[in-house]
Amino acid sequence: MRIIGNNNIDNGKSVLGHEEKPFTYIALGFFDGVHIGHQALLKSCIEKAREVQAVSTVLLLEPHPDKIVKELNHFYLLTPLPERIAMIKKLGIQQIIIIDFTPEFQSIRAEDFIVRMLFEQFKMRGVFFGYNYHFGYQKKGDFQLMEKLSRKYHFRYYLIEPVKTDENISISSTIIKEQLERGNILKANQWLGYPYKITGKVIHGDNRGAKILSVPTANIAIPEEKMLPKNGIYIALVEIGREIYQGLVNIGVKPTFKQKLKRAGVEVHIFEFHHNIYQQELSISLLKRIRDEKKFSRVEDLTMQINQDKLIAHTYFKENIIDYKTIHMNKKS
Ligand code: RBF
Ligand code: MG
């Protein structure tokens, strides 16, 4: 798969003399979470492109337009760029174009974006997008403009229907984030099509887990923009290299111990695991939330509670069949 960065892109201007470049079918969107709605759109792009031997392509704007335009301080993502790229690649998209969402880029008119950039420069002959997709300067471009341009320039135009929840709501990154905020990991996972995953390097914690509680934990460094679900204790699967382990995750501020944390931390206790994994990358797939984080007046009470948590997790793993295919869906390779 090819990833084209901004350096190769002559933002907005038309480039001639690239006749050797293959035609592309381009999926447009931000694709945060690569949820089941995105997956349907991307799969149809891959299939249709294959029929005409075009290169299936995703065009990503980075950072998220809303982050720049609305100047939001706290803008969390389900999938920071590296995770998103890995997942899109895994689905079978052949090329990803990443465009810096700069002020220059923002000032490109909707029609120029489609015609000069996508059609002329990237040889787009098919386009895929959802109903809520708007594009170009002041987001003035919509599906009606796209349809008009597709007739004028003769490219295929696919407006993809949203995938709906059982309650008939269109699945979007926003409604998935709302579920995570409430700790409804089951709903979030159902709409994502895979268990929500947190990836990061193992860093040094305070060693209290191993020393005092007899529950060693790996503390994970989390990318700043990564969305964390509601604080609490979660049953999880842990991927280290090619191995998958069972474990329990604490997301929170450890109120039992006085400390100043700017943001909730993520740490995982991996069952039957005794290796030193500092500096290694691991991924945690959250399966079920079992309780809130609590402040205990005695450390022994916390230890007892964690032993209770372990029993609940063991029962869970006994009673549930884990679909490992979806765990691997967003595995980097
Ligand atoms: N810390 C708390 O202050 N309250 C809790 O309810 C709590 N629950 C935990 C449950 C599990 C399964 C794990 C692994 C950790 C939990 N912790 C909790 C965090 C614990 O205080 C931490 O692992 C140690 O202090 C080492 O950093
Ligand atoms: Mg630790």
Side-chain angles (χ1 to χ4, degrees), residues 208-216 248 256-257 269 291 294-311:
R208 192 191 305 118
K211 272 196 200 138
I212 302 179
L213 305 173
S214 309
V215 187
L248 274 170
T256 304
F257 305 93
H269 171 65
R291 66 173 174 89
K294 284 181 245 169
K295 183 179 167 69
F296 292 91
S297 44
R298 300 184 324 150
V299 172
E300 302 85 79
D301 294 340
L302 172 57
T303 306
M304 266 168 52
Q305 176 65 63
I306 292 177
N307 285 331
Q308 195 69 36
D309 298 338
K310 282 190 198 169
L311 288 177

Side-chain angles (χ1 to χ4, degrees), residues 223-333:
E224 208 182 325
E225 77 265 31
K226 176 77 177 182
M227 163 120 201
L228 291 179
K230 184 179 179 184
N231 287 359
I233 317 306
Y234 291 83
I235 298 172
L237 288 172
V238 187
E239 284 176 69
I240 308 170
R242 298 194 165 276
E243 303 295 324
I244 297 184
Y245 302 89
Q246 300 173 346
L248 274 170
V249 175
N250 180 56
I251 299 177
V253 294
K254 309 171 198 179
T256 304
F257 305 93
K258 277 206 193 84
Q259 48 192 352
K260 291 182 204 116
L261 288 178
K262 266 204 217 118
R263 197 186 172 194
V266 177
E267 54 180 331
V268 57
H269 171 65
I270 308 167
F271 297 161
E272 291 159 58
F273 187 85
H274 310 282
H275 303 286
N276 183 339
I277 46 169
Y278 282 120
Q279 290 307 318
Q280 284 193 49
E281 192 178 80
L282 58 72
S283 289
I284 296 167
S285 292
L286 301 177
L287 303 178
K288 192 180 178 178
R289 187 176 188 278
I290 57 173
R291 66 173 174 89
D292 286 332
E293 207 186 17
K294 284 181 245 169
K295 183 179 167 69
F296 292 91
S297 44
R298 300 184 324 150
V299 172
E300 302 85 79
D301 294 340
L302 172 57
T303 306
M304 266 168 52
Q305 176 65 63
I306 292 177
N307 285 331
Q308 195 69 36
D309 298 338
K310 282 190 198 169
L311 288 177
I312 291 169
H314 287 309
T315 307
Y316 175 89
F317 283 115
K318 248 184 245 156
E319 290 177 353
N320 288 275
I321 296 159
I322 310 295
D323 182 1
Y324 286 93
K325 219 175 91 206
T326 65
I327 304 291
H328 281 297
M329 143 118 203
N330 49 359
K331 188 180 166 63
K332 285 186 199 162
S333 58

Side-chain angles (χ1 to χ4, degrees), residues 202-210 215-220 254 266-268 278:
V202 179
I203 50 172
H204 283 278
D206 40 30
N207 253 326
R208 192 191 305 118
V215 187
T217 60
N219 299 59
I220 316 300
K254 309 171 198 179
V266 177
E267 54 180 331
V268 57
Y278 282 120

